[in-house]
Amino acid sequence: MSSPDAGPPRPPRDERLPRDERPPRDERRPRDECPSPDAARRIKIWFRFVPREDGLPYETEGLWATRLSADTARVDNVPFLQDGVAEGETVRFTTDTDGVHWSTGRVADSGNCTVRVLPLPDGPLGRDARAVHERLAPFGLGGEVFSADFPLVAFTVPGGADLRAIKELLARGEEEGWWHFEVSCATEAWRAA
């Protein structure tokens, strides 16, 4: 597992491993072992939250981010668990004595939304995350898959996307038993669409 201070370059979205709790200190890579100069600005920002009774049993989620200043960073990937934040948002963080960066709040919105889609095992898509991607690909949406065992797909929906059509497709898919979905970070434009 990588250091929360300077992570390795991110693998392609469909090859990422599932999120998990913060690794023990001895499994983290020292800051001076960064694979490239650009990676020195890459940090992992951790978010704390209360786990949902019907959700995954995690209390934290780490998101890759690009450091913008001593205490701000831009989120570089879509959250699976943390509500109220989307890819591209600027967050403020503090750094604890172990060098772990903890989010303290959002500084600037990105205009993006976060939508999570879980295909229903007994539905027409089965547990196929790729089929979920294919349904949303016409809108130019890319997403990340939590794991093969839990095919939750988290999408970043840009503010300039056809929000009304995306909402209609998500609702139709839920009505037809393809998936369950939730919008974990919505903008005014999303709500108005």
Side-chain angles (χ1 to χ4, degrees), residues 57-73:
Y58 298 103
E59 296 177 357
T60 62
E61 180 174 21
L63 299 176
W64 288 111
T66 300
R67 183 188 294 267
L68 302 175
S69 72
D71 67 346
T72 62

Side-chain angles (χ1 to χ4, degrees), residues 13-193:
R13 289 182 184 267
D14 61 340
E15 294 177 16
R16 292 192 192 149
L17 298 174
R19 309 273 167 96
D20 59 2
E21 296 296 322
R22 179 175 61 152
R25 184 71 177 146
D26 58 1
E27 290 182 22
R28 296 184 199 150
R29 181 190 312 203
R31 185 177 194 124
D32 60 347
E33 290 182 22
C34 295
S36 72
D38 292 338
R41 291 184 47 213
R42 296 297 302 264
I43 60 174
K44 192 163 259 192
I45 301 291
W46 290 89
F47 294 80
R48 286 188 179 101
F49 52 88
V50 177
R52 292 188 258 181
E53 290 182 23
D54 62 341
L56 296 169
Y58 298 103
E59 296 177 357
T60 62
E61 180 174 21
L63 299 176
W64 288 111
T66 300
R67 183 188 294 267
L68 302 175
S69 72
D71 67 346
T72 62
R74 183 184 60 252
V75 175
D76 291 335
N77 62 308
V78 61
F80 285 103
L81 306 171
Q82 177 63 39
D83 291 336
V85 69
E87 185 174 7
E89 316 252 68
T90 300
V91 296
R92 188 168 311 284
F93 64 88
T94 60
T95 305
D96 69 16
T97 56
D98 289 329
V100 178
H101 307 296
W102 294 99
S103 172
T104 59
R106 190 167 45 174
V107 175
D109 294 335
S110 63
N112 297 333
C113 299
T114 301
V115 175
R116 300 176 188 133
V117 180
L118 182 63
L120 298 175
D122 57 351
L125 305 182
R127 298 175 51 83
D128 189 353
R130 188 161 284 150
V132 173
H133 279 277
E134 289 171 4
R135 297 295 188 287
L136 292 161
F139 299 104
L141 304 183
E144 298 181 45
V145 178
F146 189 83
S147 72
D149 292 332
F150 187 64
L152 176 68
V153 185
F155 291 97
T156 296
V157 181
D162 186 346
L163 302 179
R164 180 177 304 275
I166 293 168
K167 286 174 76 171
E168 289 172 358
L169 177 62
L170 289 169
R172 188 181 79 193
E174 192 160 75
E175 289 169 9
E176 295 181 10
W178 300 350
W179 54 53
H180 288 300
F181 78 92
E182 69 178 5
V183 180
S184 65
C185 184
T187 60
E188 288 304 317
W190 176 271
R191 288 188 271 281

